[in-house]
Amino acid sequence: MGQAPAADQPTGAVDAPSDLRAVMRHFATGVCVVSTHRQEQDGRRHSAVTVNSLTSVSLEPPLVSLGFRSDSGFLTDLMAARVWGISILDGESEDLARLFARPRAERDRLVHTRPSELGVHTGTLLFDAAGWMECRYRDHMVAGDHVMVIGEVVGLGVRGTRSPLIFLQGGFHRFEPPQS
């Protein structure tokens, strides 16, 4: 097994954006669709986006975090609404992940084309998925070119045992856990 360089030893020049992206391609993450809404003159407009930056932060109180680019229009809506829904995707949901990874105008136009239900606690859309959460804004922090948003989980559930959808090496994959 190779030796990792000591933390205080320089490893050469680093092109942070491309080098970090290249390294992180080897870290598998789950995939979810996050939804929120914004008020407009003709009523509530729902919006959703695919993310893989969901992290459990605390069990007591139940907190999760999400990361968004600082210039994200979705982030602007989420911060205004201060509520959001999270649909944790299963291995059969790659099409849903791809749909909400499209440019915002397409996502906003197509958001009501997929089966969903309104969250009881937040009024955000929850899509058919392995698991779901409803969150209320708790805090946020700017971290480089992203904003980490922390939400308190106010509702959650699981829809059976489904194999998760993961993102690894730039693509979606189904993960089949070993049978016990």
Side-chain angles (χ1 to χ4, degrees):
M1 186 179 258
Q3 291 285 327
D8 61 349
Q9 297 295 315
T11 58
V14 175
D15 177 9
S18 63
D19 288 349
L20 182 58
R21 183 174 285 119
V23 169
M24 293 306 294
R25 288 174 55 88
H26 298 281
F27 183 70
T29 64
V31 182
C32 57
V33 171
V34 179
S35 64
T36 194
H37 50 72
R38 62 188 179 276
Q39 286 302 129
E40 294 188 349
Q41 287 181 341
D42 58 346
R44 183 181 283 179
R45 297 284 177 152
H46 291 274
S47 182
V49 67
T50 299
V51 302
N52 65 343
S53 62
L54 174 65
T55 304
S56 174
V57 175
S58 169
L59 295 176
E60 188 57 44
L63 302 174
V64 296
S65 72
L66 295 164
F68 299 98
R69 286 179 51 104
S70 300
D71 61 355
S72 165
F74 182 86
L75 172 63
T76 301
D77 292 345
L78 184 144
M79 295 298 279
R82 299 209 176 241
V83 294
W84 58 93
I86 301 170
S87 300
I88 299 172
L89 302 186
D90 59 64
E92 302 299 318
S93 300
E94 183 176 338
D95 60 331
L96 188 64
R98 289 188 183 284
L99 173 75
F100 290 114
R102 293 179 180 175
R104 182 174 178 138
E106 288 182 58
R107 295 190 325 256
D108 285 355
R109 191 176 73 250
L110 298 171
V111 71
H112 290 290
T113 66
R114 296 291 190 210
S116 63
E117 59 190 61
L118 290 178
V120 174
H121 304 283
T122 61
T124 58
L125 295 179
L126 300 171
F127 298 92
D128 183 29
W132 59 272
M133 291 182 263
E134 290 182 84
C135 300
R136 292 189 199 281
Y137 175 86
R138 174 74 173 252
D139 201 355
H140 75 278
M141 72 176 223
V142 176
D145 61 357
H146 277 62
V147 174
M148 301 302 298
V149 181
I150 298 172
E152 183 166 0
V153 178
V154 296
L156 68 147
V158 175
R159 292 188 175 101
T161 56
R162 300 180 184 180
S163 297
L165 182 66
I166 62 170
F167 190 74
L168 177 66
Q169 296 180 337
F172 296 109
H173 306 274
R174 291 183 182 137
F175 176 75
E176 295 297 333
Q179 300 296 320
S180 32

